[in-house]
Amino acid sequence: MVPELREYGPAREDLRAEIIAAQALFPESTREAYELPFPADVSQTAWITDRACEFLDTAEGDVFAQISYIQPHNPFSPPAEYVDLVNIDAIPEPTSAEWKNAPIPYYEQPRYAEPSYEIADWRRERALYFADLAHLDHELGRVREALARASRLENCLFIFTSDHGELLHDHGLLGKWERHYDPCIRIPLVIGMPGVRPGHYRQLAEHTDIAATIYHWAGLPAPALPVWGAADTEGMPMLHGRSLVPVATGKDEDMARSHVFIQSNNSHVEASPRSWARTIRTTRYRYTRHLAGGGEQLFDLIEDPDEQNNLAYDERYRDIREVLLADLAEATATDAYPNSPLHLFQVGSW
């Protein structure tokens, strides 16, 4: 998908052709999940850790490190030595494809003709995905060892999170995109810092809170926009996320959000508003609106945690739907605050 791969580097090598040739070595049925044909220490995940540890071992003074791993991501490709760590008998079965029972227009597209778990070896793909997680866990341990070697571990903010989830055949779906079921939008968020209160927090948080948390913990002023005619003021804050430091340290548990906002724009399957989706997720409900007439979903996540009964068209839930729809409209309009929503999305991106 990257045009530059056709003429890469000083030698202008055609890496795209090499990648396609390498993919051809694997049967079509295994290209989404396979064991790496080389040891873990030369895997992509280990390479990223090596570069991160080199930085942490040599950097001086206060530092910020964003270590972006690719795995676990399709194709699920763990090193072979991690596959045996997975107990295949304990792998849960995928949840049923709710959208097959009473499909909204979005799920009437040809690409949703049948659930993924009916045409793929979901058990094998889940096993390799979990093996990828075991490998990532090992590599994160190496990062923390590097922090300890540099005497940084006791006074650092360590955040582990993800950009999205993985449906992994739940609801008969793979990947992410605009299918906002919980396995797609509910992601890990682990925070370690001096004074952190151990435990599992049930407050809602979203990605916008990450930057606010980092600035707060580091004692740095958040970036601000100048305000016309008010040059002597601090300006308007650019960050509209909320710092999670008070929650994590137990100093303020009343900072909980009433809801979080999730959006998808243009999947790489289709660059059209039909592949856009907007969602409001509360502690109890998930309300999603698929654009271009794609329909709506409303699930009661307490009574129906597996999201099997769409209540969006149930008259008994009309008042709840209207409240969530109003919240969704406001969240959509104020998403880019304090700027107007003029950002452009790459056509066909995901």
Side-chain angles (χ1 to χ4, degrees), residues 20 22 27 31 64 72 119 124 142 198-200 205 212 240 243-244 278:
I20 291 174
R31 290 183 190 176
F64 172 79
I119 57 177
R124 177 177 180 273
R142 291 180 58 208
H200 179 202
H240 58 275
S243 171
L244 301 174
R278 299 290 185 272

Side-chain angles (χ1 to χ4, degrees), residues 54-259:
E54 286 176 7
F55 170 72
L56 294 173
D57 286 338
T58 58
E60 298 180 358
D62 295 334
V63 299
F64 172 79
Q66 178 179 327
I67 309 169
S68 297
Y69 290 100
I70 309 302
Q71 300 303 113
H73 197 286
N74 70 314
F76 310 127
S77 50
E81 53 263 50
Y82 285 86
V83 176
D84 289 342
L85 298 179
V86 178
N87 180 359
I88 296 179
D89 295 332
I91 295 176
E93 294 190 7
T95 56
S96 298
E98 172 275 332
W99 46 269
K100 290 290 289 184
N101 300 327
I104 58 176
Y106 170 81
Y107 285 103
E108 292 177 334
Q109 301 179 60
R111 60 188 170 117
Y112 297 121
E114 51 191 334
S116 62
Y117 50 66
E118 292 183 356
I119 57 177
D121 187 350
W122 62 263
R123 185 173 279 101
R124 177 177 180 273
E125 292 186 5
R126 286 192 164 200
L128 295 181
Y129 179 85
F130 296 150
D132 250 341
L133 289 177
H135 185 210
L136 177 60
D137 183 69
H138 172 79
E139 296 301 306
L140 290 172
R142 291 180 58 208
V143 171
R144 292 183 65 82
E145 289 172 355
L147 288 167
R149 284 195 304 272
S151 300
R152 297 183 185 276
L153 189 58
E154 297 303 317
N155 187 32
C156 78
L157 170 63
F158 191 98
I159 299 176
F160 172 75
T161 190
S162 174
D163 54 342
H164 59 80
E166 168 58 57
L167 285 154
L168 204 62
H169 300 292
D170 274 334
H171 301 283
L173 302 168
L174 275 172
K176 52 183 191 304
W177 304 342
E178 59 275 12
R179 294 83 59 91
H180 290 175
Y181 290 96
D182 245 19
C184 176
I185 65 173
R186 187 176 181 180
I187 61 173
L189 175 59
V190 181
I191 298 177
M193 70 178 81
V196 70
R197 178 170 53 94
H200 179 202
Y201 312 110
R202 297 194 174 276
Q203 290 91 340
L204 294 170
E206 62 181 34
H207 277 129
T208 61
D209 298 333
I210 302 299
T213 300
I214 294 171
Y215 275 98
H216 182 181
W217 184 86
L220 298 173
L225 290 174
V227 178
W228 176 257
D232 57 341
T233 68
E234 295 182 356
M236 180 181 291
M238 290 179 63
L239 302 180
H240 58 275
R242 304 180 183 183
S243 171
L244 301 174
V245 171
V247 175
T249 56
K251 296 179 179 178
D252 189 348
E253 298 185 41
D254 296 326
M255 295 184 64
R257 294 175 172 273
S258 62
H259 58 261

